[in-house]
Amino acid sequence: DQQVKQNSPSLSVQEGRISILNCDYTNSMFDYFLWYKKYPAEGPTFLISISSIKDKNEDGRFTVFLNKSAKHLSLHIVPSQPGDSAVYFCAASGYLSGNTPLVFGKGTRLSVIA
Amino acid sequence: EPEVTQTPSHQVTQMGQEVILRCVPISNHLYFYWYRQILGQKVEFLVSFYNNEISEKSEIFDDQFSVERPDGSNFTLKIRSTKLEDSAMYFCASSTGQPQHFGDGTRLSIL
């Protein structure tokens, strides 16, 4: 039951270029979406989120785009840096308030090459 | 910056034994969660906890699992009789809403 799908297990990008990570979801009840970054031997670290009433949210080098009609979101990292190399998880939840379980994708491993 | 802390970082247990995983959530957070990640698979929700009771649990969270907030700071996950398939990373998370903030996990290895 893959409600949240990240179809690219890995991505390699040159330093300074744009990284684009993609995520699709199937459950139309999801209305809040998050990206987490995970380094080895650490827990997921929250990166950026977007609610379904928006189509874009930006925080520094990170921008998340949401296309509700396509049930698709993407994370753009510009410019990519070697320290961005990590596994990126897309997650979705039913609503913004607390207590709602997150449903995660399988993750995309980003490698930024110097 | 406040963080969620989990102990131990690695727990090795014989099959059939009980294990308790411990978490100290961020101090002003009200919602607490456990997730797990089996090697090579997704992070999966186990249970959420609010106001001293379980709010929601997944199908994974069967009678072998229990959670407790024994005092004002700790949040624990107990597995009563461990099975080989319980081997996984277990992540604790806490929040005031969204986003949820995760600890670094406990690697549970069942022999």
Side-chain angles (χ1 to χ4, degrees), chain B residues 35-54:
Chain B
Y35 291 80
R36 78 171 185 192
Q37 185 181 27
I38 294 171
L39 189 64
Q41 298 187 24
K42 294 184 180 189
V43 176
E44 302 172 288
F45 168 74
L46 293 178
V47 65
S48 59
F49 193 84
Y50 170 72
N51 203 23
N52 280 320
E53 60 183 27
I54 290 174

Side-chain angles (χ1 to χ4, degrees), chain B residues 3 14 17-20 22 26 28-29 40 44 55-56 66 68 70 73 76 78 80 92 99 109-110:
Chain B
E3 56 183 29
Q14 291 284 337
Q17 295 295 304
E18 175 183 287
V19 67
I20 297 175
R22 301 179 193 280
I26 294 171
N28 64 331
H29 285 185
E44 302 172 288
S55 306
E56 194 166 343
S66 62
E68 195 178 29
S73 59
T76 61
K78 180 160 70 175
R80 247 177 288 281
C92 174
S109 300
I110 308 299

Side-chain angles (χ1 to χ4, degrees), chain A residues 6 9 21 36-40 44-45 84-89 106-110, chain B residues 37:
Chain A
Q6 293 177 257
L21 297 98
Y36 284 84
K37 178 167 80 170
K38 187 181 180 304
Y39 294 117
T45 301
D84 296 330
S85 297
V87 178
Y88 289 78
F89 291 101
K106 280 190 166 184
T108 297
R109 182 178 302 279
L110 174 65
Chain B
Q37 185 181 27

Side-chain angles (χ1 to χ4, degrees), chain A residues 72-104:
Chain A
H72 177 85
L73 60 154
S74 60
L75 173 68
H76 293 211
I77 307 173
V78 182
S80 302
Q81 298 172 354
D84 296 330
S85 297
V87 178
Y88 289 78
F89 291 101
C90 172
S93 79
Y95 38 88
L96 186 60
S97 67
N99 241 16
T100 311
L102 296 177
V103 179
F104 283 85

Side-chain angles (χ1 to χ4, degrees), chain B residues 69-89:
Chain B
R69 188 153 163 81
D71 53 44
S73 59
N74 290 285
F75 180 51
T76 61
L77 174 69
K78 180 160 70 175
I79 309 175
R80 247 177 288 281
S81 176
T82 49
K83 302 188 281 280
L84 292 175
E85 53 265 38
D86 294 327
S87 295
M89 281 292 292

